[in-house]
Amino acid sequence: MGTWNFTSVTEFILDGLSNHRNTQILLFITILIVYVLTLMGNLIIILLVQADSSLQTPMYFFLTNLSTLEICYVAIMQPQILAHLLSGNGIISYTRCVVQIFVVLTLGTVECFLLGIMAYDRYLAIFHPLTYGVVMSKLRQLHLASTCWTIGLLFGVIYVCCTFRHSYCGPNHINHFMCEMPVVLKLACDDTHITEAIVFVMAAMVLVVPVIVILTSYGLILYSVLQMKSAAGRRKAFSTCASHLVVVTVFYGTVISMYMIPRSSASPNRDKQIAVFYVVVAPLLNPIIYTLRNKDVHKAVGKVLRRRGVKQKS
């Protein structure tokens, strides 16, 4: 295996989403709009939860963590994508590439486990309502959330150490719009089979365990819904579960495709096409899907607007 000392590459050149100037400008405008909407949507969720005591429940505590994560993610990732689209120059330094991979994998790992905990929280709320308040106490919520962030940081460090223990002596062109571990590993000048095996096992741990929790939790919830006699109750529960499962499907489906399905030389642009979904689309879907049909959030918005109206009148 190579070591850090043998690396001669000081920067990487990202090919980006397109080489056509008109397409780059169109993508810049589109991603900029999505970026602003994502920041606003997730920030509104955080502010609403803090402003309305009725939303200070375990579900919204975890949703606040998810929104905080998404804000950090897009604030770190998307400005660079926008800058490269605007300038048409995709150069990124070796150090920034290391930081970018660390951020992507750390926050991605946190989100995987956080979505699993949110599904488990819904299971507890529906099947164990009498003990739910005790099981999901404030201390338990903090423990679960801090565990997600700790695992994310630990896995992020391991991923980066595995990736950059190899030597990179050229070429330095990356067919992507950001530094991502699988595509950067392709540029290593030494053998990466052991690293790829380690990454696969870690990705399986990060992805499969939460997916099992999510599918089990929502499977039991849907089974319970089918036993309901009220058609209105069934529709409401199905609507909620379906919305949450859309987020899970988009996020996990694209990440599994990127990190666990073998690469194919027949589709050189496949990696960056997949990455668009979890870098740009998924962060915007979360605030929309988790709040658009949520009556509690609608009530909280109404309360905040009424308070502002009363203050302005007085």
Side-chain angles (χ1 to χ4, degrees):
M1 290 289 176
T3 63
W4 290 79
N5 296 330
F6 296 144
T7 295
S8 60
V9 169
T10 59
E11 63 185 22
F12 293 100
I13 300 174
L14 302 171
D15 289 347
L17 289 166
S18 174
N19 293 322
H20 300 289
R21 192 58 189 154
N22 289 340
T23 305
Q24 288 177 340
I25 297 299
L26 180 61
L27 286 169
F28 172 82
I29 295 170
T30 303
I31 294 175
L32 178 61
I33 293 170
V34 172
Y35 174 62
V36 173
L37 291 175
T38 302
L39 288 179
M40 288 177 59
N42 284 289
L43 188 59
I44 287 170
I45 290 175
I46 295 171
L47 294 175
L48 279 176
V49 172
Q50 296 301 315
D52 193 336
S53 59
S54 66
L55 295 183
Q56 292 171 13
T57 62
M59 183 180 104
Y60 291 103
F61 171 78
F62 295 125
L63 185 56
T64 299
N65 271 266
L66 184 63
S67 293
T68 303
L69 183 153
E70 299 293 14
I71 288 173
C72 294
Y73 189 79
V74 300
I76 291 170
M77 295 300 303
Q78 292 189 19
Q80 179 200 277
I81 298 171
L82 291 168
H84 286 174
L85 285 170
L86 191 61
S87 66
N89 183 350
I91 294 175
I92 182 171
S93 69
Y94 184 89
T95 303
R96 284 180 62 193
C97 188
V98 174
V99 172
Q100 195 169 85
I101 288 178
F102 173 74
V103 169
V104 169
L105 294 173
T106 296
L107 297 181
T109 301
V110 175
E111 183 162 356
C112 283
F113 285 100
L114 199 55
L115 289 172
I117 287 174
M118 290 173 73
Y120 178 63
D121 172 72
R122 291 299 82 211
Y123 162 79
L124 288 176
I126 291 172
F127 286 91
H128 303 282
L130 297 179
T131 59
Y132 175 67
V134 176
V135 175
M136 275 295 175
S137 63
K138 287 283 186 183
L139 186 59
R140 178 64 60 83
Q141 294 170 42
L142 289 171
H143 281 166
L144 290 171
S146 59
T147 299
C148 289
W149 287 94
T150 302
I151 293 174
L153 287 168
L154 176 62
F155 274 52
V157 170
I158 295 173
Y159 281 130
V160 165
C161 289
C162 285
T163 304
F164 292 99
R165 67 174 177 168
H166 296 284
S167 58
Y168 293 89
C169 49
N172 64 345
H173 277 263
I174 299 176
N175 186 23
H176 211 300
F177 57 86
M178 66 180 191
C179 278
E180 192 149 29
M181 183 175 59
V183 291
V184 171
L185 268 178
K186 293 177 184 177
L187 303 180
C189 297
D190 47 12
D191 184 58
T192 61
H193 284 92
I194 294 176
T195 296
E196 288 171 358
I198 294 171
V199 168
F200 181 85
V201 171
M202 291 179 64
M205 292 170 58
V206 170
L207 295 168
V208 174
V209 173
V211 164
I212 291 173
V213 173
I214 290 167
L215 293 179
T216 303
S217 298
Y218 282 121
L220 291 170
I221 291 171
L222 290 174
Y223 177 78
S224 175
V225 168
L226 291 173
Q227 310 304 312
M228 290 182 179
K229 295 181 180 180
S230 168
R234 282 199 301 271
R235 281 196 300 271
K236 180 181 177 182
F238 271 124
S239 175
T240 301
C241 289
S243 298
H244 293 189
L245 286 172
V246 167
V247 173
V248 170
T249 302
V250 170
F251 178 75
Y252 282 100
T254 52
V255 173
I256 288 172
S257 297
M258 186 70 185
Y259 286 89
M260 296 190 70
I261 295 177
R263 312 265 80 77
S264 171
S265 57
S267 303
N269 294 323
R270 168 184 171 274
D271 291 338
K272 59 184 176 184
Q273 290 167 353
I274 291 171
V276 167
F277 283 93
Y278 60 84
V279 174
V280 179
V281 178
L284 178 62
L285 282 181
N286 287 343
I288 293 174
I289 288 177
Y290 281 110
T291 61
L292 196 60
R293 295 182 175 181
N294 194 314
K295 292 183 179 179
D296 293 334
V297 173
H298 296 170
K299 290 178 182 177
V301 172
K303 287 180 184 177
V304 171
L305 292 176
R306 283 195 294 272
R307 284 177 198 163
R308 288 194 62 181
V310 170
K311 286 181 180 179
Q312 287 176 353
K313 288 179 181 179
S314 60

